[in-house]
Amino acid sequence: MPLAASELLDPMPETKSYFVRRLKRCKIDIESFATPLSVCTMEGCQGMCCYDGVCLDEDEERYIAAVVRAHPKHFEEVGVTPENAFEDALFLDVETRKTATKPCTYKKRVGFPEHFEKASCVFRHKDGRCSLQGLAMEHGEHPWAYKPMSCWLHPISLERDGRTIIWLPRIETDHLREEGYPGYAPYTHCGRECAGGVPAYKALKDELKTLGAIVGRDVYGEIKAAVKAMKS
């Protein structure tokens, strides 16, 4: 039987315990989830959100390395091995580990941001598909069974100003903005505000429901009710 949404982090117990503890009763920035977004499509984004790889905790790196080690033929197409899949990095001035990157050029039609590096996570196929997600689907698993949590949650963020909060960064509020780098999530296809789009909580329904299932909280239902109350 494939993992249920509530079980996605079960292979990484330390990670699951950490997020359940943080998110069970944390604040939600309701207003940010009223932001209009377009529903993400592979044709439209080509996986641009994967351009810099993703930060991992120790539990996630161990798990993903084990997945790669167990299925070497699957990852031959993207050239990934347990030895080259990860790299050291700095994130918000903190030393961390992340999935490695490789040079990449995106098609003009996707509107790749000028301040993003022309790079790609090593797990990303040329057309934008994720090889970790592809393997899970081949196995009849939940599509996000092997993916880092930050990947499937994007563009949702779980921290702001050193505090735990479930929110959606916008251009004017993005916590990753700095001199020479305008920001990250609001410039990706699935995080970019879109006139005429659908409210973010609807566009990100699967992500919010999955997050809620993991931590034992109706995150989507809370946001939906609160946004409707705002409009009444």
Side-chain angles (χ1 to χ4, degrees):
M1 290 287 292
L3 291 175
S6 61
E7 300 171 321
L8 282 185
L9 296 188
D10 283 6
M12 299 166 278
E14 292 179 14
T15 299
K16 182 170 185 176
S17 175
Y18 174 72
F19 281 109
V20 169
R21 186 173 66 252
R22 287 180 66 194
L23 302 174
K24 191 75 171 181
R25 298 179 181 85
C26 75
K27 180 181 178 182
I28 300 175
D29 181 348
I30 300 297
E31 186 178 354
S32 70
F33 284 102
T35 304
L37 302 180
S38 60
V39 177
C40 188
T41 64
M42 191 56 61
E43 179 70 17
C45 82
Q46 292 285 299
M48 69 165 69
C49 57
C50 307
Y51 88 93
D52 196 33
V54 63
C55 293
L56 307 166
D57 61 27
E58 292 181 8
D59 236 5
E60 286 183 310
E61 182 174 347
R62 283 194 296 268
Y63 180 56
I64 295 171
V67 170
V68 174
R69 195 174 295 113
H71 304 282
K73 288 189 176 181
H74 175 84
F75 293 100
E76 280 181 0
E77 187 175 344
V78 287
V80 172
T81 67
E83 291 71 36
N84 67 14
F86 314 104
E87 62 187 19
D88 296 325
L90 279 177
F91 181 70
L92 298 178
D93 298 322
V94 176
E95 292 185 358
T96 186
R97 292 278 286 173
K98 61 186 283 292
T99 56
T101 60
K102 57 189 176 185
C104 177
T105 299
Y106 294 76
K107 295 180 179 179
K108 289 184 178 180
R109 59 179 165 76
V110 305
F112 191 74
E114 292 184 3
H115 66 284
F116 283 13
E117 292 184 13
K118 301 294 191 299
S120 164
C121 173
V122 293
F123 286 99
R124 175 185 171 277
H125 286 284
K126 290 182 179 179
D127 63 0
R129 292 177 298 115
C130 173
S131 57
L132 289 166
Q133 181 164 327
L135 180 64
M137 294 173 73
E138 285 180 15
H139 289 172
E141 275 288 359
H142 189 292
W144 300 338
Y146 306 144
K147 294 185 75 166
M149 186 175 178
S150 293
C151 289
W152 59 259
L153 261 183
H154 180 80
I156 300 166
S157 183
L158 303 177
E159 185 172 328
R160 186 172 68 198
D161 299 327
R163 296 185 178 183
T164 300
I165 180 171
I166 301 171
W167 69 299
L168 184 72
R170 299 150 104 176
I171 287 177
E172 64 273 16
T173 62
D174 190 358
H175 60 311
L176 299 183
R177 287 188 306 169
E178 58 183 26
E179 186 175 352
Y181 187 84
Y184 169 56
Y187 290 88
T188 63
H189 186 273
C190 47
R192 188 181 299 155
E193 190 166 346
C194 173
V198 299
Y201 77 91
K202 291 184 178 181
L204 302 170
K205 180 178 180 178
D206 289 345
E207 289 82 355
L208 292 168
K209 279 185 168 288
T210 300
L211 181 65
I214 290 171
V215 303
R217 177 180 181 182
D218 186 8
V219 176
Y220 174 77
E222 287 182 44
I223 297 172
K224 180 181 179 180
V227 171
K228 285 186 175 181
M230 284 170 50
K231 296 179 178 180
S232 62

